[in-house]
Each structure stands twice: as C-alpha cells, then as structure tokens.
Amino acid sequence: MLIVSGVLGYVLIEDYSFFDAFYMTIITLSTVGFNEVHALSDAGRLFTSFLLITSFGTFAYAATSISRYIIDGDFNRYYKSYRVNETISKLSGHVIVCGYGRNGKQAAHVLKNHDKRFVVIEDSKDVVAGVNHKYNDLVLQGNARNDDMLLRAGVKKAAALITTLPVDADNLFIVLTARHMNPNLTIIS
C-alpha cells in the first residue's frame, strides 16, 4: 500500500513517469538515500517526508507486533497447542479425564501412580495453568461437552473415559457422546 501510494503521489505531484516514481518510492521507503530522480518541488519534499514518516511508523508497528507476539507468549501457546495435538494424535489406549476438580485430580493421581497415559480436559484456564502431573503436556483447555474437544483428546482411540463434572446432566451428555464415538470405550462417571 505504501509503494502504490508513493508511486501515485510522485506521478500526481511531481509528474514523474511510472518508472521514476517507482524508483523514487523504493529509495525513499528503504531509506537508502540516493539522489532524487529530478529536483523536488516543495510539495514533493513534503510528500517524501510524509512517506518516510509513514514507512517508519509501519515498520515500528510491525516490529512491535511481532515482538509482542513472541514475548507475550502467543507463539509459545500456539507451539504448545500444536505439540499437544501431535502427541495426542499418536496416543492409543489412553484415558481421558473430563474435569480436573477434586474427583478428576484423584483419578489423575491414580493413573499417574500406575504410569497410565491420560489426557485431561478442563474448562477453567486457571485450573489448567495449575495442573502439575507427569504428562502435563496432555492437558486441553476447553469444554468436554464439545464433540470436537473429545475428538481432540483422542476419544476414538482411547481405552477409557472418566467424567467428573459437577453437573450430572453434563456427565450424562459426555457419556452418551463418547459412547457414540467409541462403542468399546470403558466409561466411568
């Protein structure tokens, strides 16, 4: 957009040819600082100044956005989510624990003591952040009542599902959905 507006500006303000306007725009935006193609009028110098300020502003905004993306952890969260999904897709015969409240923690503790692979699905971000177990890379933050979340947890290849949500209707919904997705699944609710 800067290149197009620069070319148009030089064509309209300075009556440059397309090639001269393009060349002038490129040397201005890249801050190379070669001589002008032709002497600039006052309006042309003002336009060049505006083009330089705009290009610096655009560069600063882009650098800030990229830095924030990396520093704020968006990149880390994306990479961790990718890694979790890849790990879960390779699992087979694992256990899915829906809900990480008192009962879910107890179930996870027993599974961990028996060195059994498991995936935790928990809706609360705060609880997910506090999950600390041997396979903590296998924690999905989301609603276990969501079919896609059960699929992400690998319900079709899982050996068992433990649902410990506080609302019985939610547990029933998960049981029915999981049974439909995997008829051989052992379900504990």
Side-chain angles (χ1 to χ4, degrees):
M1 190 170 147
L2 282 172
I3 293 173
V4 169
S5 58
V7 169
L8 288 174
Y10 285 119
V11 167
L12 296 174
I13 295 170
E14 293 295 327
D15 199 29
Y16 281 1
S17 69
F18 173 79
F19 181 76
D20 286 347
F22 178 75
Y23 178 74
M24 188 66 184
T25 301
I26 295 301
I27 66 171
T28 301
L29 293 178
S30 64
T31 66
V32 171
F34 288 139
N35 290 335
E36 290 115 12
V37 176
H38 304 288
L40 294 174
S41 65
D42 288 340
R45 280 186 261 163
L46 184 63
F47 176 73
T48 302
S49 300
F50 172 76
L51 196 58
L52 276 168
I53 291 168
T54 306
S55 70
F56 277 131
T58 303
F59 174 76
Y61 175 76
T64 302
S65 296
I66 292 169
S67 298
R68 185 176 331 151
Y69 180 74
I70 293 169
I71 292 171
D72 285 350
D74 288 342
F75 179 75
N76 268 347
R77 280 189 289 279
Y78 173 77
Y79 180 71
K80 183 175 181 183
S81 175
Y82 172 78
R83 195 179 73 224
V84 167
N85 290 335
E86 284 296 308
T87 303
I88 292 172
S89 71
K90 295 174 185 171
L91 285 180
S92 180
H94 61 288
V95 178
I96 299 171
V97 179
C98 300
Y100 201 71
R102 185 175 52 87
N103 292 327
K105 283 180 188 175
Q106 183 62 34
H109 180 71
V110 170
L111 291 168
K112 181 172 69 170
N113 286 342
H114 287 88
D115 207 28
K116 182 72 176 161
R117 292 298 299 233
F118 63 96
V119 177
V120 173
I121 302 174
E122 172 58 46
D123 203 18
S124 170
K125 287 182 183 179
D126 295 334
V127 173
V128 169
V131 172
N132 185 18
H133 63 76
K134 182 177 178 181
Y135 307 122
N136 64 356
D137 58 332
L138 302 180
V139 178
L140 297 173
Q141 195 272 317
N143 190 336
R145 295 177 308 265
N146 185 327
D147 294 2
D148 291 335
M149 187 58 63
L150 289 173
L151 290 172
R152 278 184 59 203
V155 71
K156 290 186 176 184
K157 296 189 295 183
L161 179 132
I162 301 171
T163 179
T164 63
L165 299 181
V167 179
D168 288 339
D170 293 340
N171 288 319
L172 178 62
F173 183 79
I174 291 170
V175 166
L176 293 173
T177 303
R179 176 64 66 212
H180 177 72
M181 292 179 174
N182 184 347
N184 300 321
L185 191 65
T186 300
I187 297 176
I188 303 167
S189 178

